């Protein structure tokens, strides 16, 4: 199974500042035949189910604010919140869907306001 | 509007059984693969099982293989998870989730999640 790791475990960022979350997979999730990275990001606010933010490593889901962006390829990925808003306080998870089943999630990164 | 409503959770003794349901609306249910994902209290996300739109293909995490059975009734727009031989470590909120698109390459992009139902396994 592909193991996903995330760093940091948690971070606190001032309102309006940038938040950066890293995700690493134990093997490449880049499918060479279509040049797509099988990597998604989810946001989970307290008491709510997860919500899809990003898929194919960098494609923003419809309705997701453009302050959220995904980047990276192969084994190393980043979720960036360009200007943190109060409503962005949540736990963020990366997930690979390259080698399935099973799909595997990272352990999560908690984002708070400083 | 897509809606997924889980039900069937509750308190069950170790070794017991429970059947979860997920009622779907707002989309052509039979066209989409569906998954169950669980989250133990205060912990991260763990994928449990998935099923194709037709129901002809099913997949399981090793942790539940042989104990859990996923199924669907497309005439009722409902997804199920039959859970047998339950253990304390199965205690979690169980979410049903809809594939992002109809294409097999995105079966495991979980585009929409229900609110979840809590399963507690304890004596």
């Amino acid at each position: 199974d592909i193991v996903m790791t995330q760093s940091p475990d948690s971070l606190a960022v001032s309102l309006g500042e940038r938040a950066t979350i890293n995700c690493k997979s134990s093997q490449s999730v880049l499918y060479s035949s279509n040049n797509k990275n099988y990597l998604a990001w989810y946001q989970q606010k307290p008491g709510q189910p997860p919500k899809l933010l990003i898929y194919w490593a960098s494609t923003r889901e419809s309705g997701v604010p453009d302050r959220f962006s995904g980047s990276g390829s192969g084994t190393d990925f980043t979720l960036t919140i360009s200007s943190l808003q109060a409503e962005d306080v949540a736990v963020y998870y990366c997930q690979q869907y390259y080698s399935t089943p099973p799909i595997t999630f990272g352990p999560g990164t908690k984002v708070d306001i400083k | 509007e897509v809606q997924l409503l889980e039900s069937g959770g509750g308190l069950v003794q170790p070794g017991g059984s429970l059947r979860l349901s997920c009622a779907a609306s707002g989309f052509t249910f039979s066209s989409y693969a569906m998954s169950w994902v669980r989250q133990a209290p205060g912990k991260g996300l763990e994928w449990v099982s998935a099923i194709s739109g037709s129901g002809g293909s099913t997949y399981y995490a090793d942790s539940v293989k042989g104990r859990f059975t996923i199924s669907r009734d497309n005439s009722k727009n409902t997804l199920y998870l039959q859970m047998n031989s339950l253990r304390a470590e199965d205690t979690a909120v169980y979410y049903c989730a809809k594939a992002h698109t109809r294409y097999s390459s995105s079966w495991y992009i979980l585009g929409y999640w229900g609110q979840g139902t809590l399963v507690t396994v304890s004596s």
Side-chain angles (χ1 to χ4, degrees):
Chain A
D1 298 354
I2 296 179
V3 176
M4 307 300 291
T5 56
Q6 289 182 231
S7 62
D9 294 335
S10 64
L11 74 161
V13 176
S14 300
L15 289 172
E17 295 300 305
R18 178 184 301 260
T20 301
I21 301 168
N22 300 301
C23 172
K24 190 174 183 69
S25 57
S26 61
Q27 63 189 74
S28 176
V29 298
L30 174 62
Y31 195 36
S32 57
S33 66
N34 60 11
N35 202 36
K36 286 187 172 183
N37 287 283
Y38 285 51
L39 189 285
W41 289 95
Y42 299 85
Q43 174 195 62
Q44 187 177 30
K45 296 181 180 181
Q48 295 186 19
K51 173 189 172 183
L52 177 66
L53 293 178
I54 303 280
Y55 54 97
W56 302 126
S58 61
T59 301
R60 199 179 302 115
E61 171 68 328
S62 175
V64 172
D66 61 6
R67 63 180 180 273
F68 291 92
S69 64
S71 63
S73 184
T75 61
D76 293 280
F77 300 90
T78 300
L79 175 70
T80 302
I81 310 171
S82 60
S83 175
L84 191 75
Q85 305 300 303
E87 60 265 32
D88 301 334
V89 169
V91 178
Y92 293 84
Y93 296 92
C94 61
Q95 173 228 333
Q96 69 80 22
Y97 48 98
Y98 175 87
S99 176
T100 59
I103 60 173
T104 48
F105 295 89
T109 294
K110 186 176 181 182
V111 175
D112 271 320
I113 305 296
K114 184 187 290 182
Chain B
E1 178 192 3
V2 172
Q3 291 196 2
L4 298 172
L5 184 61
E6 301 94 338
S7 61
L11 175 63
V12 61
Q13 291 188 340
S17 298
L18 215 53
R19 188 176 84 154
L20 305 183
S21 300
C22 171
S25 61
F27 63 102
T28 306
F29 182 67
S30 60
S31 294
Y32 290 82
M34 299 290 294
S35 285
W36 288 98
V37 178
R38 68 186 180 183
Q39 186 171 35
K43 302 297 184 182
L45 301 169
E46 180 188 15
W47 173 81
V48 171
S49 183
I51 188 168
S52 62
S54 67
S57 299
T58 58
Y59 308 91
Y60 298 93
D62 286 345
S63 58
V64 306
K65 201 172 294 182
R67 299 188 299 123
F68 290 11
T69 302
I70 191 171
S71 62
R72 63 193 297 161
D73 185 336
N74 286 343
S75 69
K76 296 182 178 179
N77 289 350
T78 303
L79 175 72
Y80 302 101
L81 186 68
Q82 177 67 44
M83 304 186 296
N84 299 330
S85 303
L86 282 162
R87 307 165 179 167
E89 55 265 35
D90 296 318
T91 295
V93 173
Y94 284 74
Y95 297 101
C96 66
K98 168 187 169 289
H100 186 246
T101 74
R102 305 177 182 200
Y103 301 106
S104 60
S105 61
S106 64
W107 272 16
Y108 294 106
I109 303 173
L110 304 177
Y112 195 83
W113 302 55
Q115 291 296 315
T117 186
L118 176 62
V119 172
T120 303
V121 184
S122 175
S123 55

